[in-house]
Short mmCIF file of all heavy atoms in Angstrom, two decimals:
data_model
loop_
_atom_site.label_atom_id
_atom_site.label_comp_id
_atom_site.label_asym_id
_atom_site.label_seq_id
_atom_site.Cartn_x
_atom_site.Cartn_y
_atom_site.Cartn_z
N ASN A 100 0.80 -1.22 0.00
CA ASN A 100 0.00 0.00 0.00
C ASN A 100 0.84 1.27 0.00
O ASN A 100 0.33 2.36 0.30
CB ASN A 100 -0.95 0.01 1.20
CG ASN A 100 -1.96 -1.11 1.12
OD1 ASN A 100 -1.93 -2.03 1.92
ND2 ASN A 100 -2.85 -1.06 0.15
N THR A 101 2.10 1.15 -0.34
CA THR A 101 2.97 2.33 -0.42
C THR A 101 3.17 2.72 -1.88
O THR A 101 2.97 1.91 -2.78
CB THR A 101 4.35 2.07 0.22
OG1 THR A 101 5.05 1.10 -0.54
CG2 THR A 101 4.20 1.60 1.66
N SER A 102 3.60 3.93 -2.10
CA SER A 102 3.94 4.38 -3.45
C SER A 102 5.37 4.04 -3.79
O SER A 102 5.69 3.69 -4.92
CB SER A 102 3.73 5.90 -3.57
OG SER A 102 2.38 6.21 -3.37
N SER A 103 6.25 4.13 -2.80
CA SER A 103 7.67 3.90 -3.04
C SER A 103 8.04 2.42 -3.07
O SER A 103 8.99 2.04 -3.73
CB SER A 103 8.50 4.58 -1.95
OG SER A 103 8.27 3.94 -0.70
N HIS A 104 7.33 1.59 -2.31
CA HIS A 104 7.65 0.16 -2.15
C HIS A 104 9.07 -0.02 -1.63
O HIS A 104 9.72 -1.02 -1.91
CB HIS A 104 7.44 -0.62 -3.45
CG HIS A 104 6.04 -0.53 -3.96
ND1 HIS A 104 4.99 -1.20 -3.37
CD2 HIS A 104 5.50 0.19 -4.99
CE1 HIS A 104 3.88 -0.93 -4.02
NE2 HIS A 104 4.16 -0.08 -4.99
N SER A 105 9.54 0.97 -0.89
CA SER A 105 10.91 0.94 -0.38
C SER A 105 10.92 1.27 1.11
O SER A 105 10.41 2.32 1.52
CB SER A 105 11.77 1.97 -1.12
OG SER A 105 13.04 2.06 -0.52
N LEU A 106 11.52 0.39 1.88
CA LEU A 106 11.63 0.61 3.33
C LEU A 106 12.44 1.85 3.65
O LEU A 106 12.23 2.48 4.68
CB LEU A 106 12.24 -0.63 3.99
CG LEU A 106 12.39 -0.61 5.50
CD1 LEU A 106 11.05 -0.37 6.19
CD2 LEU A 106 12.99 -1.92 5.98
N THR A 107 13.35 2.24 2.76
CA THR A 107 14.18 3.42 3.02
C THR A 107 13.36 4.71 3.04
O THR A 107 13.81 5.71 3.58
CB THR A 107 15.31 3.56 1.99
OG1 THR A 107 14.73 3.68 0.69
CG2 THR A 107 16.25 2.37 2.05
N ALA A 108 12.16 4.69 2.47
CA ALA A 108 11.30 5.87 2.47
C ALA A 108 10.48 5.97 3.76
O ALA A 108 9.74 6.93 3.94
CB ALA A 108 10.37 5.85 1.27
N TRP A 109 10.62 4.98 4.65
CA TRP A 109 9.82 4.91 5.86
C TRP A 109 10.71 4.81 7.09
O TRP A 109 11.85 4.39 7.00
CB TRP A 109 8.91 3.69 5.82
CG TRP A 109 7.84 3.83 4.80
CD1 TRP A 109 7.94 3.53 3.46
CD2 TRP A 109 6.54 4.35 4.99
NE1 TRP A 109 6.77 3.82 2.83
CE2 TRP A 109 5.89 4.32 3.74
CE3 TRP A 109 5.85 4.81 6.09
CZ2 TRP A 109 4.58 4.76 3.58
CZ3 TRP A 109 4.55 5.24 5.93
CH2 TRP A 109 3.93 5.22 4.68
N GLU A 110 10.14 5.17 8.23
CA GLU A 110 10.83 4.98 9.50
C GLU A 110 9.84 4.41 10.51
O GLU A 110 8.64 4.65 10.43
CB GLU A 110 11.44 6.27 10.01
CG GLU A 110 10.46 7.40 10.22
CD GLU A 110 11.14 8.71 10.54
OE1 GLU A 110 12.15 9.05 9.90
OE2 GLU A 110 10.63 9.42 11.44
N VAL A 111 10.37 3.62 11.42
CA VAL A 111 9.54 3.07 12.48
C VAL A 111 9.43 4.14 13.56
O VAL A 111 10.42 4.51 14.18
CB VAL A 111 10.15 1.77 13.05
CG1 VAL A 111 9.33 1.26 14.22
CG2 VAL A 111 10.25 0.71 11.97
N ALA A 112 8.23 4.66 13.74
CA ALA A 112 8.01 5.71 14.73
C ALA A 112 7.78 5.12 16.12
O ALA A 112 8.07 5.76 17.13
CB ALA A 112 6.82 6.57 14.32
N GLU A 113 7.26 3.89 16.15
CA GLU A 113 6.99 3.24 17.44
C GLU A 113 6.94 1.74 17.21
O GLU A 113 6.39 1.27 16.22
CB GLU A 113 5.64 3.74 17.97
CG GLU A 113 5.36 3.38 19.40
CD GLU A 113 4.09 4.07 19.94
OE1 GLU A 113 3.54 4.97 19.27
OE2 GLU A 113 3.67 3.67 21.03
N LEU A 114 7.53 1.00 18.14
CA LEU A 114 7.49 -0.47 18.09
C LEU A 114 7.62 -0.95 19.53
O LEU A 114 8.68 -0.82 20.13
CB LEU A 114 8.63 -1.02 17.23
CG LEU A 114 8.48 -2.45 16.73
CD1 LEU A 114 9.44 -2.72 15.60
CD2 LEU A 114 8.57 -3.50 17.77
N ARG A 115 6.50 -1.45 20.08
CA ARG A 115 6.53 -1.87 21.48
C ARG A 115 5.55 -3.01 21.72
O ARG A 115 4.59 -3.20 20.99
CB ARG A 115 6.24 -0.71 22.41
CG ARG A 115 4.87 -0.09 22.24
CD ARG A 115 4.73 1.17 23.09
NE ARG A 115 3.53 1.90 22.77
CZ ARG A 115 2.42 1.86 23.48
NH1 ARG A 115 2.36 1.15 24.58
NH2 ARG A 115 1.36 2.55 23.11
N SER A 116 5.80 -3.73 22.79
CA SER A 116 4.96 -4.82 23.22
C SER A 116 3.79 -4.24 24.02
O SER A 116 4.00 -3.38 24.88
CB SER A 116 5.77 -5.78 24.08
OG SER A 116 4.98 -6.83 24.55
N VAL A 117 2.57 -4.69 23.71
CA VAL A 117 1.37 -4.16 24.37
C VAL A 117 0.38 -5.30 24.64
O VAL A 117 0.50 -6.38 24.10
CB VAL A 117 0.67 -3.10 23.50
CG1 VAL A 117 1.54 -1.88 23.29
CG2 VAL A 117 0.22 -3.68 22.17
N THR A 118 -0.62 -4.98 25.46
CA THR A 118 -1.77 -5.88 25.60
C THR A 118 -2.89 -5.29 24.74
O THR A 118 -2.86 -4.11 24.39
CB THR A 118 -2.26 -5.96 27.06
OG1 THR A 118 -2.73 -4.67 27.46
CG2 THR A 118 -1.16 -6.45 27.99
N GLY A 119 -3.85 -6.11 24.42
CA GLY A 119 -4.96 -5.63 23.61
C GLY A 119 -5.71 -4.49 24.26
O GLY A 119 -6.15 -3.55 23.59
N GLN A 120 -5.86 -4.52 25.58
CA GLN A 120 -6.57 -3.47 26.30
C GLN A 120 -5.92 -2.11 26.12
O GLN A 120 -6.60 -1.10 25.98
CB GLN A 120 -6.65 -3.83 27.80
CG GLN A 120 -7.50 -2.88 28.61
CD GLN A 120 -8.97 -2.90 28.18
OE1 GLN A 120 -9.53 -3.96 27.95
NE2 GLN A 120 -9.57 -1.74 28.07
N GLU A 121 -4.59 -2.09 26.11
CA GLU A 121 -3.86 -0.82 25.97
C GLU A 121 -4.09 -0.16 24.62
O GLU A 121 -3.91 1.05 24.49
CB GLU A 121 -2.35 -1.07 26.09
CG GLU A 121 -1.83 -1.51 27.41
CD GLU A 121 -0.35 -1.82 27.32
OE1 GLU A 121 0.45 -0.88 27.14
OE2 GLU A 121 0.00 -3.00 27.41
N ILE A 122 -4.43 -0.93 23.61
CA ILE A 122 -4.35 -0.48 22.24
C ILE A 122 -5.68 -0.49 21.48
O ILE A 122 -5.73 -0.06 20.34
CB ILE A 122 -3.27 -1.34 21.54
CG1 ILE A 122 -2.49 -0.55 20.53
CG2 ILE A 122 -3.81 -2.60 20.98
CD1 ILE A 122 -1.46 0.30 21.15
N LEU A 123 -6.75 -0.95 22.13
CA LEU A 123 -8.04 -1.09 21.45
C LEU A 123 -8.48 0.18 20.72
O LEU A 123 -8.97 0.11 19.59
CB LEU A 123 -9.12 -1.48 22.46
CG LEU A 123 -9.24 -2.95 22.80
CD1 LEU A 123 -10.18 -3.15 23.97
CD2 LEU A 123 -9.69 -3.75 21.61
N ASP A 124 -8.29 1.33 21.33
CA ASP A 124 -8.78 2.58 20.75
C ASP A 124 -7.96 3.08 19.56
O ASP A 124 -8.36 4.02 18.88
CB ASP A 124 -8.82 3.67 21.82
CG ASP A 124 -7.46 4.00 22.38
OD1 ASP A 124 -6.57 3.13 22.34
OD2 ASP A 124 -7.28 5.13 22.87
N ARG A 125 -6.85 2.44 19.24
CA ARG A 125 -6.00 2.90 18.13
C ARG A 125 -6.43 2.31 16.77
O ARG A 125 -5.84 2.65 15.76
CB ARG A 125 -4.54 2.50 18.38
CG ARG A 125 -3.98 2.98 19.68
CD ARG A 125 -3.20 4.25 19.52
NE ARG A 125 -2.79 4.77 20.81
CZ ARG A 125 -1.54 4.90 21.20
NH1 ARG A 125 -0.57 4.54 20.41
NH2 ARG A 125 -1.27 5.41 22.38
N PHE A 126 -7.41 1.42 16.77
CA PHE A 126 -7.81 0.75 15.54
C PHE A 126 -9.31 0.84 15.28
O PHE A 126 -9.97 -0.17 15.02
CB PHE A 126 -7.36 -0.72 15.56
CG PHE A 126 -5.87 -0.85 15.57
CD1 PHE A 126 -5.19 -0.95 16.77
CD2 PHE A 126 -5.15 -0.83 14.40
CE1 PHE A 126 -3.81 -1.05 16.79
CE2 PHE A 126 -3.76 -0.92 14.41
CZ PHE A 126 -3.09 -1.03 15.61
N PRO A 127 -9.88 2.04 15.33
CA PRO A 127 -11.33 2.16 15.08
C PRO A 127 -11.64 2.05 13.58
O PRO A 127 -10.82 2.39 12.73
CB PRO A 127 -11.64 3.56 15.60
CG PRO A 127 -10.39 4.33 15.34
CD PRO A 127 -9.27 3.34 15.58
N GLY A 128 -12.82 1.58 13.28
CA GLY A 128 -13.30 1.59 11.90
C GLY A 128 -12.56 0.68 10.95
O GLY A 128 -11.99 -0.34 11.34
N GLU A 129 -12.55 1.08 9.70
CA GLU A 129 -11.94 0.30 8.63
C GLU A 129 -10.42 0.35 8.68
O GLU A 129 -9.85 1.31 9.19
CB GLU A 129 -12.41 0.84 7.28
CG GLU A 129 -13.90 0.66 7.03
CD GLU A 129 -14.29 -0.80 6.97
OE1 GLU A 129 -13.65 -1.59 6.28
OE2 GLU A 129 -15.28 -1.16 7.65
N PRO A 130 -9.74 -0.66 8.08
CA PRO A 130 -8.27 -0.68 8.08
C PRO A 130 -7.64 0.52 7.38
O PRO A 130 -6.57 0.95 7.76
CB PRO A 130 -7.93 -1.98 7.35
CG PRO A 130 -9.12 -2.83 7.47
CD PRO A 130 -10.29 -1.89 7.53
N ALA A 131 -8.29 1.03 6.33
CA ALA A 131 -7.74 2.19 5.61
C ALA A 131 -8.68 3.37 5.79
O ALA A 131 -9.78 3.38 5.26
CB ALA A 131 -7.56 1.86 4.14
N ALA A 132 -8.24 4.34 6.57
CA ALA A 132 -9.07 5.53 6.83
C ALA A 132 -9.28 6.29 5.53
O ALA A 132 -8.33 6.70 4.89
CB ALA A 132 -8.39 6.41 7.87
N GLY A 133 -10.52 6.46 5.14
CA GLY A 133 -10.82 7.20 3.91
C GLY A 133 -10.74 6.35 2.66
O GLY A 133 -11.16 6.78 1.60
N GLY A 134 -10.17 5.16 2.74
CA GLY A 134 -10.08 4.27 1.60
C GLY A 134 -9.25 4.80 0.45
O GLY A 134 -9.45 4.42 -0.70
N CYS A 135 -8.29 5.68 0.72
CA CYS A 135 -7.54 6.31 -0.37
C CYS A 135 -6.12 5.79 -0.51
O CYS A 135 -5.31 6.40 -1.19
CB CYS A 135 -7.52 7.82 -0.15
SG CYS A 135 -6.70 8.29 1.39
N VAL A 136 -5.79 4.69 0.11
CA VAL A 136 -4.42 4.18 0.00
C VAL A 136 -4.21 3.51 -1.35
O VAL A 136 -5.13 2.91 -1.90
CB VAL A 136 -4.07 3.20 1.15
CG1 VAL A 136 -4.11 3.88 2.48
CG2 VAL A 136 -4.99 1.99 1.14
N PRO A 137 -2.99 3.62 -1.90
CA PRO A 137 -2.71 2.92 -3.16
C PRO A 137 -2.60 1.41 -2.91
O PRO A 137 -2.46 0.97 -1.78
CB PRO A 137 -1.36 3.51 -3.58
CG PRO A 137 -0.73 4.01 -2.33
CD PRO A 137 -1.86 4.38 -1.41
N GLY A 138 -2.67 0.66 -3.98
CA GLY A 138 -2.48 -0.79 -3.87
C GLY A 138 -3.74 -1.52 -3.49
O GLY A 138 -4.85 -0.98 -3.55
#
């Protein structure tokens, strides 16, 4: 779903171990907000 298809164009802003309870509110609705992602 990227335009570049290159990891060098991206950076990991956050990567951590969590429980489902901690993170439930971060994934509301559809997987692609607005449905405008390429691919």
Side-chain angles (χ1 to χ4, degrees):
N100 295 113
T101 67
S102 297
S103 66
H104 301 287
S105 173
L106 182 57
T107 60
W109 291 85
E110 58 188 43
V111 176
E113 192 172 349
L114 198 164
R115 63 187 170 101
S116 178
V117 296
T118 64
Q120 186 63 43
E121 293 175 69
I122 216 79
L123 276 170
D124 63 334
R125 305 263 174 117
F126 295 93
E129 295 296 312
C135 61
V136 296

